[in-house]
Amino acid sequence: MKYQFWKYQGTGNDFIFFDGREDVSVIKDNKEVIARLCHRRYGIGADGLIILEKHETSDFRMVYYNSDGGESTMCGNGGRCSISFAHFMGLAGEKTNFQAIDGLHSGEIANEGWIKLGMNDVSDMKRLDERTYLLNTGSPHYVRLLDQGEDIDIVAFGREIRYSAPFAQEGINVNVVQEMDGKIKVKTYERGVEDETYSCGTGVTAAAIVYHRSMNNLPVGDIDVMTKGGALKVSFNAHKNRYTNIVLHGPVQMVFTGQIEI
């Protein structure tokens, strides 16, 4: 049977979308099918797959799967793309609220095609050493601050951390952060993709919070972030160890649409 799909990308983090108001039972929770659709040689190719469904109290529900086929925790760039797709499909207006695996999120289509995504508050941050932190921004993240000029192979480093004893079973996303020209540059190794992705929304959010925490005199406001896939911003309010009103800002693009036989 043929199924209509849409392909979106947010700063190079790409996703396959299906309209869950239709019968997509052959896809939902089917790890083999989802992994095949996300495969970049034998399928459409993507970092993840998202199904948008009706919801009783919100505009829609976002169901997110990693490219390995498993349902995963919150995806920031996937959330931003979901806002754009929901608006395109008539599920939501320019301002919306929707349900994800970690609860309720707000969103807005802003100027110049940028999408704003409200993230959950962050208060539980663990410092492993002066340059390394653990925190959860909807997904679990390991964040390492790099010195100026320091270079790390993110794939090799990410795999080493992700499969180390404390994290091997559940997995963890691994980020390295470097300040440059008044911005931060972030590289991310994502569990479930098991590779570097061009961008990671929850990772960028985690990196911006850790960077702010390490710079006690940094004023609260937008933090500009550069990723392999492009520019993002993270804004928040800081209250000692608690971060609230966190918003992830960035561009979104529909890449193409088509039909595929499943």
Side-chain angles (χ1 to χ4, degrees), residues 215-258:
M215 302 285 289
N216 292 325
N217 61 341
L218 186 72
V220 173
D222 290 345
I223 294 182
D224 292 311
V225 185
M226 290 302 301
T227 68
K228 190 174 184 178
L232 294 147
K233 286 179 182 270
V234 181
S235 60
F236 48 76
N237 293 329
H239 314 273
K240 294 185 179 180
N241 295 328
R242 187 165 180 256
Y243 288 78
T244 63
N245 298 322
I246 303 168
V247 180
L248 174 66
H249 314 242
V252 162
Q253 179 191 28
M254 182 193 291
V255 183
F256 61 87
T257 184

Side-chain angles (χ1 to χ4, degrees), residues 2-240:
K2 288 185 177 180
Y3 291 84
Q4 184 79 22
F5 71 89
W6 292 260
K7 175 79 175 284
Y8 275 73
Q9 66 88 11
T11 51
N13 206 187
D14 57 345
F15 309 95
I16 303 163
F17 277 85
F18 288 93
D19 183 354
R21 294 172 297 178
E22 305 295 332
D23 181 9
V24 292
S25 56
V26 71
I27 301 166
K28 187 174 180 180
D29 299 329
N30 190 325
K31 292 188 70 171
E32 182 181 352
V33 168
I34 293 168
R36 186 171 73 248
L37 291 172
C38 290
H39 198 286
R40 297 192 184 276
R41 296 294 183 268
Y42 302 113
I44 299 165
D47 292 326
L49 183 148
I50 298 173
I51 299 172
L52 292 197
E53 300 179 335
K54 290 182 179 179
H55 191 271
E56 291 181 359
T57 59
S58 300
D59 290 332
F60 62 91
R61 178 172 180 255
M62 164 189 164
V63 184
Y64 171 68
Y65 302 91
N66 278 327
S67 61
D68 65 359
E71 186 174 3
S72 190
T73 46
M74 180 57 184
C75 176
N77 286 326
R80 293 192 307 102
C81 289
S82 293
I83 293 165
S84 181
F85 179 62
H87 183 261
F88 173 76
M89 298 296 289
L91 282 166
E94 292 191 352
K95 293 186 177 181
T96 183
N97 63 78
F98 67 95
Q99 293 289 333
I101 196 167
D102 63 337
L104 183 66
H105 289 266
S106 62
E108 180 181 350
I109 299 175
N111 296 329
E112 298 179 356
W114 276 45
I115 305 292
K116 296 180 181 180
L117 172 66
M119 307 291 284
N120 287 338
D121 294 350
V122 173
S123 58
D124 185 15
M125 190 186 315
K126 182 178 181 181
R127 183 178 179 181
L128 300 184
D129 58 46
E130 63 180 10
R131 296 195 299 169
T132 310
Y133 294 79
L134 298 178
L135 66 162
N136 193 305
T137 53
S139 289
H141 284 274
Y142 176 107
V143 180
R144 169 84 174 269
L145 297 168
L146 302 183
D147 293 329
Q148 291 289 339
E150 186 178 1
D151 190 24
I152 283 182
D153 181 337
I154 185 59
V155 175
F157 179 70
R159 284 178 181 162
E160 179 185 354
I161 299 300
R162 183 257 186 268
Y163 288 105
S164 62
F167 312 117
Q169 185 172 356
E170 296 296 327
I172 196 165
N173 302 291
V174 180
N175 309 267
V176 294
V177 185
Q178 199 162 42
E179 184 178 16
M180 53 188 305
D181 301 325
K183 304 176 181 180
I184 60 172
K185 182 179 180 181
V186 180
K187 295 180 180 180
T188 302
Y189 177 95
E190 284 200 52
R191 64 173 185 173
V193 179
E194 306 308 335
D195 202 351
E196 180 184 12
T197 52
Y198 273 47
S199 175
C200 172
T202 56
V204 161
T205 303
I209 289 172
V210 167
Y211 174 69
H212 177 271
R213 175 74 176 274
S214 72
M215 302 285 289
N216 292 325
N217 61 341
L218 186 72
V220 173
D222 290 345
I223 294 182
D224 292 311
V225 185
M226 290 302 301
T227 68
K228 190 174 184 178
L232 294 147
K233 286 179 182 270
V234 181
S235 60
F236 48 76
N237 293 329
H239 314 273
K240 294 185 179 180

